[in-house]
Amino acid sequence: MEKVLRGRTITKVDQRRPNLRVPFPATLKRDLTGYKIETLGRRAKYILMQLENGKVMILHLGMSGRVLLIPPGKKYEPEKHDHLILDFDDRSKMVFNDARRFGMVLLDDENGLEKNPAFAGMGPEPLDNSFSAPVLAAALENKKTSIKAALLDQRVVAGLGNIYVSEALFHAGIHPERIAATVTHAESEKLVKAIRKVLNEAIAAGGSTLKDYRHADGELGYFQHHFAVYDRAGQPCPGCRCDISKSKGIRKMTQGGRSTYYCPEKQV
Ligand SMILES: [Zn+2]
């Protein structure tokens, strides 16, 4: 997105319904139209589009949201779930499509971002240097919840969802039901490495969760790229020494209403 959108000026904002998960900001058209995009970034699960007027459009893809970039002059007709269409000075477009409408579009001032309710109290970015084994260990120290719930808590670490937590716990060899406070410093070290590995692989593969996931340019993503355990109940775990005749392969359980997949032998 950054490669295509940086430096573009928004010439038209076509908002095609009043709300997604929450109402669109009342000033969206006024704050976007006529302004240049300075940078694109990300915080946790939010895409940040920073404009020259000091405003930031904050975009959350929800469950099924996707961004399509339409090249200059390419024929485009809005589809049913195209909810927001931005036109640019080079006659290209950006389309936000979201069939289930769990996505969100918010606006804020660039200097007020950390105070925005979406980000207030949010933990470190897992791929930043500010996230480390000592930082994670300190965050887990007094937590009486399961390690799975702790890693989904955005105050501990930002941006991890259900699939990536399952995967990271498998790679780190930690049982998802372990009480967070019992995770040792050595295990925090393994977890930090595992979280980064899982996220970097997912980013390289272009996203992961839904069958209709597409890249920003409209190409299909490599959905569900080789997960180690997620959605693989009963199958052997990759690179694991467990005996499948005894372990019956990868197990599935429900934790806090969400599916967790794990190896009962490797993860203790
Ligand atoms: Zn195993």
Side-chain angles (χ1 to χ4, degrees):
M1 283 178 72
E2 160 128 273
K3 214 162 71 183
V4 175
L5 297 182
R6 186 177 204 160
R8 292 270 69 83
T9 296
I10 300 167
T11 56
K12 191 178 151 204
V13 175
D14 182 9
Q15 179 197 315
R16 302 173 63 81
R17 54 174 297 119
N19 64 297
L20 297 170
R21 191 187 337 168
V22 298
F24 279 99
T27 61
L28 189 69
K29 266 187 200 192
R30 195 176 72 211
D31 285 339
L32 262 52
T33 310
Y35 295 105
K36 189 188 279 185
I37 298 169
E38 285 192 333
T39 57
L40 279 119
R42 183 187 58 79
R43 175 81 169 114
K45 300 174 185 173
Y46 297 83
I47 296 167
L48 307 177
M49 179 189 280
Q50 186 161 341
L51 301 165
E52 61 178 335
N53 60 356
K55 299 287 179 185
V56 181
M57 187 175 88
I58 305 166
L59 184 65
H60 193 295
L61 299 177
M63 294 288 285
S64 59
R66 65 184 199 237
V67 170
L68 294 154
L69 300 172
I70 314 289
K74 192 179 172 191
K75 199 168 173 315
Y76 162 78
E77 290 291 335
E79 289 178 21
K80 190 176 173 197
H81 302 294
D82 291 352
H83 305 306
L84 181 69
I85 303 161
L86 305 184
D87 285 21
F88 301 110
D89 53 345
D90 67 347
R91 297 176 58 237
S92 68
K93 292 176 197 287
M94 180 191 125
V95 179
F96 182 55
N97 174 293
D98 186 2
R100 299 191 197 178
R101 300 206 301 267
F102 284 113
M104 280 193 282
V105 175
L106 311 168
L107 265 181
D108 205 346
D109 297 311
E110 64 182 293
N111 48 25
L113 267 194
E114 284 296 322
K115 287 196 198 115
N116 188 295
F119 305 115
M122 192 173 265
E125 283 295 320
L127 299 178
D128 279 1
N129 289 333
S130 59
F131 184 61
S132 65
V135 166
L136 178 61
L140 299 178
E141 213 167 47
N142 295 311
K143 283 224 172 262
K144 304 285 190 284
T145 62
S146 69
I147 182 65
K148 169 96 190 286
L151 293 176
L152 287 173
D153 181 346
Q154 303 293 299
R155 294 168 296 184
V156 171
V157 54
L160 288 185
N162 193 47
I163 294 178
Y164 300 136
V165 169
S166 260
E167 293 289 294
L169 286 170
F170 171 77
H171 291 296
I174 299 169
H175 195 287
E177 284 181 313
R178 277 271 295 283
I179 299 298
T182 70
V183 170
T184 65
H185 282 245
E187 286 173 323
S188 287
E189 195 98 38
K190 282 188 194 165
L191 252 182
V192 167
K193 275 192 194 138
I195 288 166
R196 289 197 171 128
K197 170 188 154 78
V198 163
L199 288 181
N200 280 323
E201 285 177 4
I203 289 167
S208 54
T209 50
L210 284 172
K211 289 191 174 122
D212 63 354
Y213 188 92
R214 279 164 198 266
H215 285 294
D217 60 6
E219 292 296 308
L220 280 173
Y222 302 103
F223 60 93
Q224 302 196 349
H225 64 285
H226 47 258
F227 290 135
V229 287
Y230 194 85
D231 209 17
R232 297 189 64 237
Q235 297 178 43
C237 4
C240 181
R241 283 194 206 133
C242 63
D243 177 355
I244 191 164
S245 67
K246 288 193 197 124
S247 72
K248 307 265 191 313
I250 295 160
R251 301 269 178 91
K252 178 184 180 180
M253 68 171 163
T254 304
Q255 261 183 305
R258 312 290 304 274
S259 299
T260 297
Y261 296 84
Y262 66 105
C263 168
E265 287 189 39
K266 176 184 162 108
Q267 292 174 256
V268 293

